[in-house]
Amino acid sequence: MKVLLKKRTLLIALFFAFEVCIFFFGRWSISCSDTVALTQRSEHDASQNHQIQVTLPKTFLLIVIMSSPSDSDIRDTIRNTWLKLSAKGPNHFRWIFPIGTSKLDETTMSKLNLEQTQFEDLAFLSNVTESYDNLAKKTAQAIYYSTKNYDFQFLLKVDSDSFVRVGAILKSLRDIANPRLYWGFLDGRAKPFRTGKWKEIDWMLCDRYLPYQLGGGYVISHGLASFVSNNLQYLKYYVSEDVSLGVWLAGTNAKYVHDPRFDTEYQSRGCNNEYLITHKKSPQQMKALFSNMKQTGKLCFKEFQGRPSYVYDFSVPPSECCTRRNNSVIP
Ligand SMILES: *[C@@H]1O[C@H](CO)[C@@H](O)[C@H](O)[C@H]1NC(C)=O
Ligand SMILES: *[C@@H]1O[C@H](CO)[C@@H](O)[C@H](O)[C@H]1NC(C)=O
């Protein structure tokens, strides 16, 4: 009987020990997963805090103006002309001048640092060496920089010789506001350059370039900008930056919008008061256009068309997309 009792006690003791063990083990595992959850949560909180701490400057349209390191006079002209055309604040538009600073000499760099102290609108791209045949990389890096440093809805890339009617483009953009927008003057029938400065030695995608918005100025949505910046390592850089962007976006569901109010070809078509952007303007011409805008509210001193325009025909093959019509009212 005593033995039996002892055995029972032992069994009960063992049973409790086992239970405690399970309980303890269970608690441990619970506390273990709690710890994991807590760790994850605090990391999540930390990243949220981090995001809160470095809230990116918010703007509807980020204007990315391409210029060379030595173009400080041109940048000044732009700051004092078309960038002053809209009284809307930074919630509506902001701008940056991306500059490749890799392999830049010290004198140029110190001048740029001074300019930056004064205006705080330069974007230094340390991975970019400035050169005409490196513009596609500069564009990609500028887009990457933009997505990392600004909370924008649309990005407008223009050249330093483009004049932009900022107020008018903001207004039109609010009307379009497509989240996959790729907006500009579209060309689908251009043949690759095989000789000269812009020759593409590596082009093998097609007999023509793929449809692309001409480089004097185009708008992409934040979504498309993120697509570019998330895929930097896979992008192929062609000599022409606008051709390159057309290729990068060709695999996306971008919303191609052709707009003859983008006078953004390699030569200007003339002057039309409807133009949102007009390309190939010297600083002198920019000042004249700005003064027209100020005095009359209109872009042109006198409207004229030196080169006919076109409306892109999406119903035919790209090689037949773009028929120019003389004496038409297309801007
Ligand atoms: C810049 O270059 C460095 C070194 O090659 C590389 O690690 C980094 O990812 C590059 N940054 C971007 C944004 O391409
Ligand atoms: C348009 O006019 C130009 C010069 O006036 C001429 O060379 C060209 O053939 C014309 N194009 C069309 C489509 O009529």
Side-chain angles (χ1 to χ4, degrees), residues 54-64 90-91 93-98 116 119-125 142-155 222 225-226 229:
V54 293
T55 304
L56 300 178
K58 207 177 162 109
T59 193
F60 176 65
L61 178 66
L62 182 67
I63 307 178
V64 174
N91 280 341
F93 75 102
R94 294 173 189 260
W95 67 87
I96 51 171
F97 293 99
Q116 180 69 324
F119 299 105
E120 294 182 346
D121 59 2
L122 305 182
F124 293 136
L125 308 176
I143 292 173
Y144 178 85
Y145 179 99
S146 300
T147 58
K148 298 298 161 200
N149 291 282
Y150 291 90
D151 175 1
F152 61 88
Q153 289 184 48
F154 295 95
L155 183 155
H222 184 268
S226 297
S229 98

mmCIF file of all heavy atoms in Angstrom, residues 54-64 90-91 93-98 116 119-125 142-155 222 225-226 229:
data_model
loop_
_atom_site.group_PDB
_atom_site.id
_atom_site.type_symbol
_atom_site.label_atom_id
_atom_site.label_comp_id
_atom_site.label_asym_id
_atom_site.label_seq_id
_atom_site.Cartn_x
_atom_site.Cartn_y
_atom_site.Cartn_z
ATOM 1 N N VAL A 54 11.737 61.529 -41.695
ATOM 2 C CA VAL A 54 12.259 62.062 -42.954
ATOM 3 C C VAL A 54 11.135 62.190 -43.987
ATOM 4 O O VAL A 54 11.286 61.790 -45.110
ATOM 5 C CB VAL A 54 13.413 61.215 -43.531
ATOM 6 C CG1 VAL A 54 14.629 61.283 -42.648
ATOM 7 C CG2 VAL A 54 12.970 59.768 -43.731
ATOM 8 N N THR A 55 10.008 62.727 -43.572
ATOM 9 C CA THR A 55 8.915 62.962 -44.508
ATOM 10 C C THR A 55 9.460 63.712 -45.727
ATOM 11 O O THR A 55 10.104 64.747 -45.587
ATOM 12 C CB THR A 55 7.813 63.812 -43.854
ATOM 13 O OG1 THR A 55 7.389 63.153 -42.681
ATOM 14 C CG2 THR A 55 6.639 63.966 -44.800
ATOM 15 N N LEU A 56 9.205 63.146 -46.887
ATOM 16 C CA LEU A 56 9.751 63.758 -48.093
ATOM 17 C C LEU A 56 8.952 65.002 -48.451
ATOM 18 O O LEU A 56 7.743 65.049 -48.245
ATOM 19 C CB LEU A 56 9.678 62.746 -49.247
ATOM 20 C CG LEU A 56 10.443 61.440 -49.041
ATOM 21 C CD1 LEU A 56 10.244 60.510 -50.229
ATOM 22 C CD2 LEU A 56 11.923 61.712 -48.836
ATOM 23 N N PRO A 57 9.642 66.005 -48.997
ATOM 24 C CA PRO A 57 8.919 67.186 -49.469
ATOM 25 C C PRO A 57 7.863 66.771 -50.487
ATOM 26 O O PRO A 57 8.152 66.008 -51.408
ATOM 27 C CB PRO A 57 10.006 68.029 -50.142
ATOM 28 C CG PRO A 57 11.295 67.475 -49.683
ATOM 29 C CD PRO A 57 11.068 66.051 -49.260
ATOM 30 N N LYS A 58 6.646 67.252 -50.265
ATOM 31 C CA LYS A 58 5.518 66.822 -51.077
ATOM 32 C C LYS A 58 5.221 67.843 -52.168
ATOM 33 O O LYS A 58 5.262 69.052 -51.914
ATOM 34 C CB LYS A 58 4.302 66.716 -50.147
ATOM 35 C CG LYS A 58 3.250 65.738 -50.582
ATOM 36 C CD LYS A 58 2.149 65.684 -49.529
ATOM 37 C CE LYS A 58 0.916 65.071 -50.117
ATOM 38 N NZ LYS A 58 0.617 63.747 -49.624
ATOM 39 N N THR A 59 4.941 67.352 -53.353
ATOM 40 C CA THR A 59 4.578 68.258 -54.438
ATOM 41 C C THR A 59 3.791 67.509 -55.507
ATOM 42 O O THR A 59 3.942 66.294 -55.650
ATOM 43 C CB THR A 59 5.838 68.934 -55.043
ATOM 44 O OG1 THR A 59 5.427 70.018 -55.874
ATOM 45 C CG2 THR A 59 6.678 67.963 -55.851
ATOM 46 N N PHE A 60 2.942 68.231 -56.217
ATOM 47 C CA PHE A 60 2.159 67.607 -57.288
ATOM 48 C C PHE A 60 3.064 67.301 -58.485
ATOM 49 O O PHE A 60 3.115 66.187 -58.978
ATOM 50 C CB PHE A 60 1.028 68.557 -57.684
ATOM 51 C CG PHE A 60 0.190 68.080 -58.840
ATOM 52 C CD1 PHE A 60 -0.582 66.932 -58.740
ATOM 53 C CD2 PHE A 60 0.152 68.802 -60.027
ATOM 54 C CE1 PHE A 60 -1.364 66.486 -59.804
ATOM 55 C CE2 PHE A 60 -0.634 68.374 -61.091
ATOM 56 C CZ PHE A 60 -1.384 67.213 -60.983
ATOM 57 N N LEU A 61 3.823 68.300 -58.923
ATOM 58 C CA LEU A 61 4.695 68.140 -60.088
ATOM 59 C C LEU A 61 6.138 68.472 -59.721
ATOM 60 O O LEU A 61 6.431 69.598 -59.301
ATOM 61 C CB LEU A 61 4.235 69.055 -61.230
ATOM 62 C CG LEU A 61 5.088 69.022 -62.496
ATOM 63 C CD1 LEU A 61 5.028 67.662 -63.187
ATOM 64 C CD2 LEU A 61 4.672 70.126 -63.476
ATOM 65 N N LEU A 62 7.018 67.498 -59.905
ATOM 66 C CA LEU A 62 8.449 67.762 -59.724
ATOM 67 C C LEU A 62 9.054 68.018 -61.104
ATOM 68 O O LEU A 62 8.957 67.159 -61.992
ATOM 69 C CB LEU A 62 9.141 66.574 -59.053
ATOM 70 C CG LEU A 62 10.626 66.793 -58.785
ATOM 71 C CD1 LEU A 62 10.843 67.874 -57.726
ATOM 72 C CD2 LEU A 62 11.320 65.508 -58.375
ATOM 73 N N ILE A 63 9.642 69.195 -61.277
ATOM 74 C CA ILE A 63 10.248 69.529 -62.566
ATOM 75 C C ILE A 63 11.746 69.256 -62.487
ATOM 76 O O ILE A 63 12.448 69.799 -61.632
ATOM 77 C CB ILE A 63 9.993 71.010 -62.934
ATOM 78 C CG1 ILE A 63 8.485 71.319 -62.858
ATOM 79 C CG2 ILE A 63 10.531 71.314 -64.324
ATOM 80 C CD1 ILE A 63 8.145 72.782 -63.149
ATOM 81 N N VAL A 64 12.200 68.371 -63.367
ATOM 82 C CA VAL A 64 13.601 67.960 -63.374
ATOM 83 C C VAL A 64 14.251 68.594 -64.600
ATOM 84 O O VAL A 64 13.910 68.244 -65.741
ATOM 85 C CB VAL A 64 13.697 66.423 -63.416
ATOM 86 C CG1 VAL A 64 15.133 65.965 -63.563
ATOM 87 C CG2 VAL A 64 13.054 65.820 -62.162
ATOM 88 N N PRO A 90 5.006 75.391 -53.338
ATOM 89 C CA PRO A 90 5.713 74.106 -53.463
ATOM 90 C C PRO A 90 4.804 72.872 -53.390
ATOM 91 O O PRO A 90 5.206 71.801 -53.811
ATOM 92 C CB PRO A 90 6.713 74.113 -52.307
ATOM 93 C CG PRO A 90 6.305 75.222 -51.410
ATOM 94 C CD PRO A 90 5.507 76.189 -52.209
ATOM 95 N N ASN A 91 3.583 73.013 -52.877
ATOM 96 C CA ASN A 91 2.671 71.867 -52.922
ATOM 97 C C ASN A 91 2.263 71.548 -54.352
ATOM 98 O O ASN A 91 1.851 70.441 -54.653
ATOM 99 C CB ASN A 91 1.394 72.151 -52.126
ATOM 100 C CG ASN A 91 1.619 71.945 -50.651
ATOM 101 O OD1 ASN A 91 2.578 71.274 -50.261
ATOM 102 N ND2 ASN A 91 0.768 72.535 -49.834
ATOM 103 N N PHE A 93 4.245 72.720 -57.338
ATOM 104 C CA PHE A 93 5.439 72.321 -58.107
ATOM 105 C C PHE A 93 6.715 72.690 -57.376
ATOM 106 O O PHE A 93 6.751 73.651 -56.598
ATOM 107 C CB PHE A 93 5.412 72.916 -59.526
ATOM 108 C CG PHE A 93 5.739 74.390 -59.598
ATOM 109 C CD1 PHE A 93 6.999 74.822 -60.005
ATOM 110 C CD2 PHE A 93 4.786 75.343 -59.274
ATOM 111 C CE1 PHE A 93 7.304 76.184 -60.075
ATOM 112 C CE2 PHE A 93 5.077 76.707 -59.343
ATOM 113 C CZ PHE A 93 6.335 77.121 -59.746
ATOM 114 N N ARG A 94 7.707 71.881 -57.608
ATOM 115 C CA ARG A 94 9.060 72.142 -57.149
ATOM 116 C C ARG A 94 9.964 71.797 -58.309
ATOM 117 O O ARG A 94 9.534 71.170 -59.273
ATOM 118 C CB ARG A 94 9.442 71.241 -55.962
ATOM 119 C CG ARG A 94 8.652 71.492 -54.685
ATOM 120 C CD ARG A 94 9.018 70.431 -53.656
ATOM 121 N NE ARG A 94 8.153 70.497 -52.495
ATOM 122 C CZ ARG A 94 8.486 71.076 -51.335
ATOM 123 N NH1 ARG A 94 9.683 71.620 -51.190
ATOM 124 N NH2 ARG A 94 7.635 71.096 -50.331
ATOM 125 N N TRP A 95 11.236 72.165 -58.208
ATOM 126 C CA TRP A 95 12.154 71.809 -59.293
ATOM 127 C C TRP A 95 13.518 71.446 -58.743
ATOM 128 O O TRP A 95 13.887 71.838 -57.635
ATOM 129 C CB TRP A 95 12.288 72.972 -60.287
ATOM 130 C CG TRP A 95 12.976 74.180 -59.724
ATOM 131 C CD1 TRP A 95 14.322 74.427 -59.701
ATOM 132 C CD2 TRP A 95 12.355 75.308 -59.089
ATOM 133 N NE1 TRP A 95 14.567 75.639 -59.103
ATOM 134 C CE2 TRP A 95 13.382 76.200 -58.714
ATOM 135 C CE3 TRP A 95 11.026 75.647 -58.820
ATOM 136 C CZ2 TRP A 95 13.125 77.411 -58.070
ATOM 137 C CZ3 TRP A 95 10.777 76.852 -58.164
ATOM 138 C CH2 TRP A 95 11.826 77.717 -57.805
ATOM 139 N N ILE A 96 14.233 70.647 -59.543
ATOM 140 C CA ILE A 96 15.640 70.368 -59.262
ATOM 141 C C ILE A 96 16.433 70.427 -60.563
ATOM 142 O O ILE A 96 15.892 70.182 -61.647
ATOM 143 C CB ILE A 96 15.856 68.969 -58.623
ATOM 144 C CG1 ILE A 96 15.166 67.868 -59.435
ATOM 145 C CG2 ILE A 96 15.400 68.954 -57.168
ATOM 146 C CD1 ILE A 96 15.517 66.450 -58.981
ATOM 147 N N PHE A 97 17.715 70.772 -60.412
ATOM 148 C CA PHE A 97 18.666 70.707 -61.524
ATOM 149 C C PHE A 97 19.651 69.573 -61.200
ATOM 150 O O PHE A 97 20.576 69.789 -60.406
ATOM 151 C CB PHE A 97 19.450 72.020 -61.641
ATOM 152 C CG PHE A 97 18.637 73.218 -62.055
ATOM 153 C CD1 PHE A 97 18.179 74.136 -61.103
ATOM 154 C CD2 PHE A 97 18.373 73.468 -63.394
ATOM 155 C CE1 PHE A 97 17.447 75.266 -61.489
ATOM 156 C CE2 PHE A 97 17.639 74.595 -63.782
ATOM 157 C CZ PHE A 97 17.180 75.500 -62.833
ATOM 158 N N PRO A 98 19.453 68.379 -61.770
ATOM 159 C CA PRO A 98 20.408 67.299 -61.485
ATOM 160 C C PRO A 98 21.754 67.572 -62.164
ATOM 161 O O PRO A 98 21.790 68.034 -63.313
ATOM 162 C CB PRO A 98 19.757 66.065 -62.116
ATOM 163 C CG PRO A 98 18.365 66.468 -62.475
ATOM 164 C CD PRO A 98 18.383 67.943 -62.665
ATOM 165 N N GLN A 116 24.700 75.997 -54.841
ATOM 166 C CA GLN A 116 23.785 75.206 -54.024
ATOM 167 C C GLN A 116 23.456 75.925 -52.711
ATOM 168 O O GLN A 116 22.307 75.929 -52.269
ATOM 169 C CB GLN A 116 24.409 73.821 -53.750
ATOM 170 C CG GLN A 116 23.567 72.896 -52.908
ATOM 171 C CD GLN A 116 22.315 72.405 -53.632
ATOM 172 O OE1 GLN A 116 21.692 73.127 -54.397
ATOM 173 N NE2 GLN A 116 21.939 71.169 -53.374
ATOM 174 N N PHE A 119 20.874 78.631 -53.741
ATOM 175 C CA PHE A 119 19.545 78.292 -54.293
ATOM 176 C C PHE A 119 18.961 76.969 -53.786
ATOM 177 O O PHE A 119 17.756 76.761 -53.881
ATOM 178 C CB PHE A 119 19.605 78.268 -55.827
ATOM 179 C CG PHE A 119 19.990 79.584 -56.422
ATOM 180 C CD1 PHE A 119 21.263 79.780 -56.943
ATOM 181 C CD2 PHE A 119 19.086 80.636 -56.447
ATOM 182 C CE1 PHE A 119 21.625 81.003 -57.488
ATOM 183 C CE2 PHE A 119 19.442 81.856 -56.998
ATOM 184 C CZ PHE A 119 20.715 82.044 -57.510
ATOM 185 N N GLU A 120 19.805 76.076 -53.325
ATOM 186 C CA GLU A 120 19.352 74.775 -52.806
ATOM 187 C C GLU A 120 18.434 74.038 -53.777
ATOM 188 O O GLU A 120 17.476 73.375 -53.360
ATOM 189 C CB GLU A 120 18.659 74.969 -51.442
ATOM 190 C CG GLU A 120 19.633 75.438 -50.391
ATOM 191 C CD GLU A 120 19.019 75.601 -49.001
ATOM 192 O OE1 GLU A 120 17.778 75.612 -48.905
ATOM 193 O OE2 GLU A 120 19.780 75.723 -48.039
ATOM 194 N N ASP A 121 18.711 74.159 -55.062
ATOM 195 C CA ASP A 121 17.883 73.433 -56.031
ATOM 196 C C ASP A 121 18.705 72.534 -56.955
ATOM 197 O O ASP A 121 18.208 72.056 -57.970
ATOM 198 C CB ASP A 121 17.005 74.410 -56.840
ATOM 199 C CG ASP A 121 17.824 75.442 -57.599
ATOM 200 O OD1 ASP A 121 19.071 75.387 -57.546
ATOM 201 O OD2 ASP A 121 17.216 76.325 -58.244
ATOM 202 N N LEU A 122 19.984 72.314 -56.594
ATOM 203 C CA LEU A 122 20.787 71.381 -57.382
ATOM 204 C C LEU A 122 20.650 69.990 -56.773
ATOM 205 O O LEU A 122 20.504 69.846 -55.556
ATOM 206 C CB LEU A 122 22.264 71.801 -57.377
ATOM 207 C CG LEU A 122 22.576 73.231 -57.838
ATOM 208 C CD1 LEU A 122 24.078 73.485 -57.816
ATOM 209 C CD2 LEU A 122 22.027 73.486 -59.238
ATOM 210 N N ALA A 123 20.668 68.978 -57.637
ATOM 211 C CA ALA A 123 20.633 67.587 -57.161
ATOM 212 C C ALA A 123 21.923 66.927 -57.640
ATOM 213 O O ALA A 123 22.086 66.674 -58.844
ATOM 214 C CB ALA A 123 19.411 66.870 -57.723
ATOM 215 N N PHE A 124 22.843 66.706 -56.710
ATOM 216 C CA PHE A 124 24.131 66.118 -57.090
ATOM 217 C C PHE A 124 24.005 64.607 -57.238
ATOM 218 O O PHE A 124 23.594 63.914 -56.306
ATOM 219 C CB PHE A 124 25.195 66.464 -56.045
ATOM 220 C CG PHE A 124 25.525 67.937 -55.993
ATOM 221 C CD1 PHE A 124 25.652 68.591 -54.766
ATOM 222 C CD2 PHE A 124 25.710 68.666 -57.162
ATOM 223 C CE1 PHE A 124 25.953 69.954 -54.719
ATOM 224 C CE2 PHE A 124 26.006 70.026 -57.122
ATOM 225 C CZ PHE A 124 26.119 70.668 -55.895
ATOM 226 N N LEU A 125 24.344 64.123 -58.423
ATOM 227 C CA LEU A 125 24.282 62.677 -58.701
ATOM 228 C C LEU A 125 25.719 62.153 -58.735
ATOM 229 O O LEU A 125 26.418 62.302 -59.739
ATOM 230 C CB LEU A 125 23.586 62.422 -60.043
ATOM 231 C CG LEU A 125 22.215 63.090 -60.251
ATOM 232 C CD1 LEU A 125 21.707 62.824 -61.677
ATOM 233 C CD2 LEU A 125 21.205 62.595 -59.217
ATOM 234 N N ALA A 142 18.546 60.549 -62.205
ATOM 235 C CA ALA A 142 17.751 61.704 -61.768
ATOM 236 C C ALA A 142 16.363 61.238 -61.337
ATOM 237 O O ALA A 142 15.804 61.733 -60.355
ATOM 238 C CB ALA A 142 17.656 62.736 -62.893
ATOM 239 N N ILE A 143 15.804 60.271 -62.058
ATOM 240 C CA ILE A 143 14.493 59.721 -61.685
ATOM 241 C C ILE A 143 14.604 58.994 -60.345
ATOM 242 O O ILE A 143 13.765 59.150 -59.454
ATOM 243 C CB ILE A 143 13.953 58.794 -62.802
ATOM 244 C CG1 ILE A 143 13.608 59.618 -64.047
ATOM 245 C CG2 ILE A 143 12.731 58.010 -62.323
ATOM 246 C CD1 ILE A 143 13.224 58.806 -65.273
ATOM 247 N N TYR A 144 15.685 58.227 -60.193
ATOM 248 C CA TYR A 144 15.924 57.517 -58.928
ATOM 249 C C TYR A 144 16.029 58.519 -57.772
ATOM 250 O O TYR A 144 15.365 58.377 -56.743
ATOM 251 C CB TYR A 144 17.222 56.699 -59.054
ATOM 252 C CG TYR A 144 17.599 55.951 -57.798
ATOM 253 C CD1 TYR A 144 17.055 54.696 -57.532
ATOM 254 C CD2 TYR A 144 18.509 56.489 -56.888
ATOM 255 C CE1 TYR A 144 17.395 54.002 -56.382
ATOM 256 C CE2 TYR A 144 18.858 55.800 -55.732
ATOM 257 C CZ TYR A 144 18.303 54.557 -55.489
ATOM 258 O OH TYR A 144 18.639 53.888 -54.347
ATOM 259 N N TYR A 145 16.842 59.539 -57.978
ATOM 260 C CA TYR A 145 17.011 60.582 -56.961
ATOM 261 C C TYR A 145 15.661 61.211 -56.598
ATOM 262 O O TYR A 145 15.353 61.438 -55.427
ATOM 263 C CB TYR A 145 17.977 61.651 -57.500
ATOM 264 C CG TYR A 145 18.219 62.813 -56.546
ATOM 265 C CD1 TYR A 145 19.351 62.847 -55.744
ATOM 266 C CD2 TYR A 145 17.310 63.873 -56.466
ATOM 267 C CE1 TYR A 145 19.567 63.894 -54.857
ATOM 268 C CE2 TYR A 145 17.510 64.922 -55.586
ATOM 269 C CZ TYR A 145 18.644 64.931 -54.790
ATOM 270 O OH TYR A 145 18.845 65.969 -53.918
ATOM 271 N N SER A 146 14.853 61.475 -57.621
ATOM 272 C CA SER A 146 13.551 62.127 -57.412
ATOM 273 C C SER A 146 12.632 61.266 -56.552
ATOM 274 O O SER A 146 11.991 61.761 -55.629
ATOM 275 C CB SER A 146 12.880 62.405 -58.752
ATOM 276 O OG SER A 146 13.691 63.261 -59.527
ATOM 277 N N THR A 147 12.588 59.962 -56.851
ATOM 278 C CA THR A 147 11.684 59.099 -56.082
ATOM 279 C C THR A 147 12.176 58.936 -54.649
ATOM 280 O O THR A 147 11.376 58.719 -53.746
ATOM 281 C CB THR A 147 11.523 57.697 -56.729
ATOM 282 O OG1 THR A 147 12.816 57.096 -56.835
ATOM 283 C CG2 THR A 147 10.879 57.775 -58.091
ATOM 284 N N LYS A 148 13.498 59.030 -54.430
ATOM 285 C CA LYS A 148 14.035 58.866 -53.072
ATOM 286 C C LYS A 148 13.929 60.146 -52.247
ATOM 287 O O LYS A 148 13.988 60.095 -51.016
ATOM 288 C CB LYS A 148 15.508 58.427 -53.101
ATOM 289 C CG LYS A 148 15.753 57.091 -53.758
ATOM 290 C CD LYS A 148 15.048 55.953 -53.029
ATOM 291 C CE LYS A 148 14.911 54.736 -53.933
ATOM 292 N NZ LYS A 148 13.889 53.790 -53.514
ATOM 293 N N ASN A 149 13.839 61.299 -52.926
ATOM 294 C CA ASN A 149 13.919 62.565 -52.189
ATOM 295 C C ASN A 149 12.658 63.417 -52.222
ATOM 296 O O ASN A 149 12.584 64.414 -51.505
ATOM 297 C CB ASN A 149 15.104 63.397 -52.710
ATOM 298 C CG ASN A 149 16.432 62.765 -52.344
ATOM 299 O OD1 ASN A 149 16.887 62.878 -51.212
ATOM 300 N ND2 ASN A 149 17.026 62.052 -53.288
ATOM 301 N N TYR A 150 11.697 63.030 -53.052
ATOM 302 C CA TYR A 150 10.466 63.832 -53.155
ATOM 303 C C TYR A 150 9.250 62.924 -53.183
ATOM 304 O O TYR A 150 9.285 61.815 -53.723
ATOM 305 C CB TYR A 150 10.486 64.712 -54.416
ATOM 306 C CG TYR A 150 11.509 65.811 -54.327
ATOM 307 C CD1 TYR A 150 12.809 65.606 -54.784
ATOM 308 C CD2 TYR A 150 11.193 67.036 -53.740
ATOM 309 C CE1 TYR A 150 13.775 66.607 -54.666
ATOM 310 C CE2 TYR A 150 12.152 68.038 -53.622
ATOM 311 C CZ TYR A 150 13.438 67.809 -54.086
ATOM 312 O OH TYR A 150 14.385 68.787 -53.962
ATOM 313 N N ASP A 151 8.173 63.437 -52.619
ATOM 314 C CA ASP A 151 6.885 62.771 -52.675
ATOM 315 C C ASP A 151 6.061 63.531 -53.729
ATOM 316 O O ASP A 151 5.392 64.505 -53.407
ATOM 317 C CB ASP A 151 6.248 62.847 -51.274
ATOM 318 C CG ASP A 151 4.839 62.287 -51.247
ATOM 319 O OD1 ASP A 151 4.357 61.813 -52.294
ATOM 320 O OD2 ASP A 151 4.220 62.355 -50.174
ATOM 321 N N PHE A 152 6.212 63.096 -54.988
ATOM 322 C CA PHE A 152 5.549 63.815 -56.091
ATOM 323 C C PHE A 152 4.519 62.918 -56.752
ATOM 324 O O PHE A 152 4.537 61.691 -56.572
ATOM 325 C CB PHE A 152 6.594 64.271 -57.130
ATOM 326 C CG PHE A 152 7.353 63.138 -57.776
ATOM 327 C CD1 PHE A 152 6.874 62.512 -58.919
ATOM 328 C CD2 PHE A 152 8.561 62.684 -57.239
ATOM 329 C CE1 PHE A 152 7.569 61.464 -59.511
ATOM 330 C CE2 PHE A 152 9.259 61.624 -57.826
ATOM 331 C CZ PHE A 152 8.770 61.026 -58.954
ATOM 332 N N GLN A 153 3.608 63.519 -57.515
ATOM 333 C CA GLN A 153 2.649 62.719 -58.281
ATOM 334 C C GLN A 153 3.062 62.572 -59.746
ATOM 335 O O GLN A 153 2.808 61.566 -60.376
ATOM 336 C CB GLN A 153 1.243 63.335 -58.194
ATOM 337 C CG GLN A 153 0.633 63.163 -56.813
ATOM 338 C CD GLN A 153 -0.788 63.703 -56.782
ATOM 339 O OE1 GLN A 153 -1.620 63.415 -57.641
ATOM 340 N NE2 GLN A 153 -1.081 64.496 -55.781
ATOM 341 N N PHE A 154 3.702 63.629 -60.261
ATOM 342 C CA PHE A 154 4.170 63.589 -61.641
ATOM 343 C C PHE A 154 5.554 64.207 -61.725
ATOM 344 O O PHE A 154 5.909 65.059 -60.908
ATOM 345 C CB PHE A 154 3.194 64.333 -62.574
ATOM 346 C CG PHE A 154 1.855 63.664 -62.640
ATOM 347 C CD1 PHE A 154 0.816 64.084 -61.817
ATOM 348 C CD2 PHE A 154 1.642 62.584 -63.486
ATOM 349 C CE1 PHE A 154 -0.422 63.439 -61.845
ATOM 350 C CE2 PHE A 154 0.409 61.937 -63.530
ATOM 351 C CZ PHE A 154 -0.623 62.361 -62.706
ATOM 352 N N LEU A 155 6.298 63.746 -62.723
ATOM 353 C CA LEU A 155 7.649 64.265 -62.931
ATOM 354 C C LEU A 155 7.738 64.789 -64.361
ATOM 355 O O LEU A 155 7.383 64.071 -65.305
ATOM 356 C CB LEU A 155 8.662 63.140 -62.677
ATOM 357 C CG LEU A 155 10.150 63.433 -62.768
ATOM 358 C CD1 LEU A 155 10.932 62.425 -61.911
ATOM 359 C CD2 LEU A 155 10.670 63.381 -64.192
ATOM 360 N N HIS A 222 4.273 59.215 -61.081
ATOM 361 C CA HIS A 222 5.116 58.686 -60.012
ATOM 362 C C HIS A 222 5.277 57.172 -60.139
ATOM 363 O O HIS A 222 6.364 56.629 -59.915
ATOM 364 C CB HIS A 222 4.533 59.030 -58.638
ATOM 365 C CG HIS A 222 5.418 58.578 -57.522
ATOM 366 N ND1 HIS A 222 5.286 57.350 -56.922
ATOM 367 C CD2 HIS A 222 6.474 59.182 -56.933
ATOM 368 C CE1 HIS A 222 6.224 57.219 -55.997
ATOM 369 N NE2 HIS A 222 6.963 58.317 -55.975
ATOM 370 N N ALA A 225 7.845 56.464 -62.721
ATOM 371 C CA ALA A 225 9.157 56.855 -62.191
ATOM 372 C C ALA A 225 9.665 55.786 -61.220
ATOM 373 O O ALA A 225 10.841 55.416 -61.242
ATOM 374 C CB ALA A 225 9.062 58.216 -61.496
ATOM 375 N N SER A 226 8.769 55.252 -60.393
ATOM 376 C CA SER A 226 9.160 54.195 -59.457
ATOM 377 C C SER A 226 9.571 52.937 -60.214
ATOM 378 O O SER A 226 10.506 52.251 -59.820
ATOM 379 C CB SER A 226 8.003 53.829 -58.528
ATOM 380 O OG SER A 226 7.669 54.934 -57.750
ATOM 381 N N SER A 229 13.038 53.538 -61.254
ATOM 382 C CA SER A 229 14.005 53.571 -60.164
ATOM 383 C C SER A 229 14.139 52.210 -59.480
ATOM 384 O O SER A 229 15.196 51.866 -58.975
ATOM 385 C CB SER A 229 13.710 54.746 -59.221
ATOM 386 O OG SER A 229 13.004 54.362 -58.119
#
